[in-house]
Short mmCIF file of all heavy atoms in Angstrom, two decimals:
data_model
loop_
_atom_site.label_atom_id
_atom_site.label_comp_id
_atom_site.label_asym_id
_atom_site.label_seq_id
_atom_site.Cartn_x
_atom_site.Cartn_y
_atom_site.Cartn_z
N VAL A 772 -6.63 223.29 -12.17
CA VAL A 772 -5.78 222.23 -11.59
C VAL A 772 -5.09 222.74 -10.32
O VAL A 772 -5.05 222.03 -9.30
CB VAL A 772 -4.74 221.76 -12.63
CG1 VAL A 772 -3.67 220.91 -11.96
CG2 VAL A 772 -5.43 220.98 -13.74
N ILE A 773 -4.57 223.95 -10.35
CA ILE A 773 -3.91 224.49 -9.16
C ILE A 773 -4.89 224.61 -8.01
O ILE A 773 -4.63 224.14 -6.89
CB ILE A 773 -3.28 225.86 -9.49
CG1 ILE A 773 -2.12 225.70 -10.48
CG2 ILE A 773 -2.79 226.54 -8.21
CD1 ILE A 773 -1.54 227.01 -10.95
N ALA A 774 -6.04 225.24 -8.25
CA ALA A 774 -7.02 225.43 -7.18
C ALA A 774 -7.57 224.10 -6.69
O ALA A 774 -7.73 223.89 -5.48
CB ALA A 774 -8.15 226.32 -7.68
N GLY A 775 -7.87 223.18 -7.62
CA GLY A 775 -8.45 221.89 -7.23
C GLY A 775 -7.49 221.04 -6.42
O GLY A 775 -7.87 220.48 -5.38
N PHE A 776 -6.23 220.92 -6.87
CA PHE A 776 -5.26 220.13 -6.12
C PHE A 776 -4.99 220.75 -4.75
O PHE A 776 -4.82 220.03 -3.75
CB PHE A 776 -3.96 220.01 -6.91
CG PHE A 776 -4.02 218.99 -8.01
CD1 PHE A 776 -5.19 218.28 -8.27
CD2 PHE A 776 -2.92 218.73 -8.81
CE1 PHE A 776 -5.26 217.35 -9.27
CE2 PHE A 776 -2.98 217.78 -9.82
CZ PHE A 776 -4.14 217.10 -10.06
N ALA A 777 -4.95 222.07 -4.71
CA ALA A 777 -4.68 222.73 -3.43
C ALA A 777 -5.80 222.47 -2.43
O ALA A 777 -5.55 222.12 -1.27
CB ALA A 777 -4.50 224.24 -3.65
N VAL A 778 -7.04 222.65 -2.85
CA VAL A 778 -8.15 222.47 -1.92
C VAL A 778 -8.28 221.00 -1.51
O VAL A 778 -8.57 220.69 -0.35
CB VAL A 778 -9.46 223.02 -2.52
CG1 VAL A 778 -9.97 222.15 -3.65
CG2 VAL A 778 -10.53 223.16 -1.46
N MET A 779 -8.06 220.05 -2.45
CA MET A 779 -8.15 218.64 -2.09
C MET A 779 -7.02 218.24 -1.15
O MET A 779 -7.21 217.44 -0.22
CB MET A 779 -8.13 217.78 -3.35
CG MET A 779 -9.42 217.82 -4.15
SD MET A 779 -9.53 216.52 -5.40
CE MET A 779 -8.13 216.92 -6.43
N GLY A 780 -5.81 218.81 -1.36
CA GLY A 780 -4.71 218.52 -0.45
C GLY A 780 -4.97 219.02 0.95
O GLY A 780 -4.70 218.32 1.95
N MET A 781 -5.52 220.23 1.07
CA MET A 781 -5.83 220.78 2.39
C MET A 781 -6.94 219.99 3.08
O MET A 781 -6.86 219.71 4.28
CB MET A 781 -6.24 222.25 2.25
CG MET A 781 -5.11 223.15 1.76
SD MET A 781 -5.64 224.85 1.51
CE MET A 781 -5.99 225.34 3.21
N LEU A 782 -7.96 219.62 2.34
CA LEU A 782 -9.06 218.85 2.94
C LEU A 782 -8.58 217.47 3.39
O LEU A 782 -9.02 216.96 4.43
CB LEU A 782 -10.20 218.70 1.93
CG LEU A 782 -11.00 219.98 1.63
CD1 LEU A 782 -12.04 219.72 0.56
CD2 LEU A 782 -11.66 220.51 2.90
N THR A 783 -7.68 216.86 2.61
CA THR A 783 -7.12 215.56 3.03
C THR A 783 -6.37 215.71 4.34
O THR A 783 -6.47 214.86 5.25
CB THR A 783 -6.18 215.03 1.93
OG1 THR A 783 -6.90 214.88 0.71
CG2 THR A 783 -5.60 213.68 2.33
N TYR A 784 -5.63 216.80 4.49
CA TYR A 784 -4.89 217.07 5.72
C TYR A 784 -5.83 217.19 6.91
O TYR A 784 -5.61 216.58 7.98
CB TYR A 784 -4.07 218.35 5.55
CG TYR A 784 -3.46 218.88 6.81
CD1 TYR A 784 -2.43 218.20 7.45
CD2 TYR A 784 -3.91 220.08 7.37
CE1 TYR A 784 -1.87 218.69 8.61
CE2 TYR A 784 -3.36 220.58 8.52
CZ TYR A 784 -2.33 219.88 9.15
OH TYR A 784 -1.77 220.37 10.30
N TYR A 785 -6.92 217.92 6.74
CA TYR A 785 -7.86 218.10 7.84
C TYR A 785 -8.63 216.83 8.15
O TYR A 785 -8.98 216.58 9.32
CB TYR A 785 -8.82 219.25 7.52
CG TYR A 785 -8.17 220.60 7.65
CD1 TYR A 785 -8.02 221.42 6.54
CD2 TYR A 785 -7.69 221.05 8.88
CE1 TYR A 785 -7.40 222.66 6.65
CE2 TYR A 785 -7.07 222.29 9.00
CZ TYR A 785 -6.93 223.09 7.87
OH TYR A 785 -6.31 224.32 7.99
N ARG A 786 -8.90 215.98 7.16
CA ARG A 786 -9.55 214.70 7.44
C ARG A 786 -8.64 213.80 8.25
O ARG A 786 -9.09 213.08 9.16
CB ARG A 786 -9.95 214.01 6.12
CG ARG A 786 -11.12 214.65 5.41
CD ARG A 786 -11.77 213.66 4.44
NE ARG A 786 -10.81 213.12 3.49
CZ ARG A 786 -10.51 213.68 2.33
NH1 ARG A 786 -11.08 214.81 1.97
NH2 ARG A 786 -9.63 213.12 1.51
N ILE A 787 -7.35 213.81 7.95
CA ILE A 787 -6.40 212.99 8.71
C ILE A 787 -6.33 213.47 10.16
O ILE A 787 -6.31 212.66 11.10
CB ILE A 787 -5.01 213.04 8.05
CG1 ILE A 787 -5.04 212.33 6.68
CG2 ILE A 787 -3.96 212.40 8.94
CD1 ILE A 787 -3.76 212.45 5.90
N LEU A 788 -6.30 214.78 10.35
CA LEU A 788 -6.27 215.31 11.71
C LEU A 788 -7.50 214.89 12.50
O LEU A 788 -7.41 214.51 13.67
CB LEU A 788 -6.17 216.84 11.67
CG LEU A 788 -4.87 217.44 11.13
CD1 LEU A 788 -4.94 218.96 11.19
CD2 LEU A 788 -3.66 216.94 11.91
N ALA A 789 -8.67 214.96 11.85
CA ALA A 789 -9.90 214.59 12.55
C ALA A 789 -9.95 213.10 12.85
O ALA A 789 -10.39 212.67 13.92
CB ALA A 789 -11.11 215.00 11.73
N LYS A 790 -9.47 212.28 11.91
CA LYS A 790 -9.51 210.83 12.09
C LYS A 790 -8.56 210.38 13.19
O LYS A 790 -8.90 209.48 13.98
CB LYS A 790 -9.17 210.15 10.78
CG LYS A 790 -9.26 208.63 10.82
CD LYS A 790 -8.96 208.04 9.46
CE LYS A 790 -9.04 206.52 9.51
NZ LYS A 790 -8.76 205.91 8.18
N GLU A 791 -7.36 210.97 13.22
CA GLU A 791 -6.35 210.55 14.19
C GLU A 791 -6.42 211.34 15.49
O GLU A 791 -5.64 211.08 16.41
CB GLU A 791 -4.96 210.71 13.57
CG GLU A 791 -4.75 209.93 12.29
CD GLU A 791 -4.86 208.43 12.50
OE1 GLU A 791 -4.63 207.98 13.65
OE2 GLU A 791 -5.20 207.72 11.54
N ASN A 792 -7.33 212.35 15.52
CA ASN A 792 -7.50 213.17 16.72
C ASN A 792 -6.19 213.82 17.15
O ASN A 792 -5.76 213.75 18.30
CB ASN A 792 -8.06 212.31 17.87
CG ASN A 792 -8.64 213.17 18.97
OD1 ASN A 792 -8.97 214.34 18.75
ND2 ASN A 792 -8.74 212.60 20.17
N VAL A 793 -5.53 214.44 16.14
CA VAL A 793 -4.25 215.09 16.38
C VAL A 793 -4.48 216.59 16.48
O VAL A 793 -5.29 217.16 15.73
CB VAL A 793 -3.27 214.78 15.23
CG1 VAL A 793 -1.94 215.47 15.46
CG2 VAL A 793 -3.07 213.28 15.12
N SER A 794 -3.77 217.24 17.38
CA SER A 794 -3.91 218.69 17.53
C SER A 794 -3.25 219.40 16.34
O SER A 794 -2.24 218.94 15.82
CB SER A 794 -3.26 219.16 18.83
OG SER A 794 -1.88 218.85 18.82
N THR A 795 -3.84 220.51 15.91
CA THR A 795 -3.33 221.27 14.76
C THR A 795 -2.33 222.30 15.23
O THR A 795 -2.69 223.33 15.81
CB THR A 795 -4.49 221.95 14.03
OG1 THR A 795 -5.18 222.79 14.95
CG2 THR A 795 -5.46 220.93 13.47
N GLU A 796 -1.08 222.04 15.03
CA GLU A 796 -0.03 222.99 15.36
C GLU A 796 0.48 223.64 14.07
O GLU A 796 0.54 222.99 13.03
CB GLU A 796 1.12 222.28 16.07
CG GLU A 796 0.71 221.64 17.39
CD GLU A 796 1.89 220.93 18.05
OE1 GLU A 796 2.98 220.94 17.44
OE2 GLU A 796 1.69 220.36 19.14
N PRO A 797 0.86 224.90 14.13
CA PRO A 797 1.33 225.58 12.93
C PRO A 797 2.51 224.88 12.27
O PRO A 797 2.61 224.84 11.04
CB PRO A 797 1.72 226.97 13.44
CG PRO A 797 0.87 227.16 14.67
CD PRO A 797 0.75 225.80 15.29
N SER A 798 3.38 224.30 13.07
CA SER A 798 4.54 223.62 12.50
C SER A 798 4.13 222.39 11.70
O SER A 798 4.68 222.12 10.62
CB SER A 798 5.51 223.22 13.61
OG SER A 798 4.86 222.34 14.54
N MET A 799 3.15 221.65 12.22
CA MET A 799 2.67 220.46 11.50
C MET A 799 1.96 220.87 10.21
O MET A 799 2.13 220.21 9.17
CB MET A 799 1.73 219.66 12.39
CG MET A 799 1.22 218.37 11.74
SD MET A 799 0.22 217.39 12.85
CE MET A 799 1.44 216.91 14.06
N THR A 800 1.19 221.94 10.27
CA THR A 800 0.50 222.42 9.07
C THR A 800 1.51 222.81 7.99
O THR A 800 1.34 222.50 6.82
CB THR A 800 -0.39 223.62 9.42
OG1 THR A 800 -1.33 223.23 10.43
CG2 THR A 800 -1.15 224.10 8.18
N GLY A 801 2.58 223.46 8.42
CA GLY A 801 3.61 223.85 7.46
C GLY A 801 4.29 222.65 6.84
O GLY A 801 4.61 222.66 5.63
N LYS A 802 4.54 221.60 7.63
CA LYS A 802 5.17 220.41 7.09
C LYS A 802 4.31 219.73 6.03
O LYS A 802 4.81 219.06 5.13
CB LYS A 802 5.46 219.42 8.23
CG LYS A 802 6.55 219.88 9.18
CD LYS A 802 6.77 218.85 10.28
CE LYS A 802 7.87 219.30 11.24
NZ LYS A 802 8.07 218.34 12.34
#
């Protein structure tokens, strides 16, 4: 559960970045 939720949460974050064409800044990743 820990590994699965973590990887799905990270992948969701990267899909949103790609869809909205937003630059990946460390501060945004941390948020």
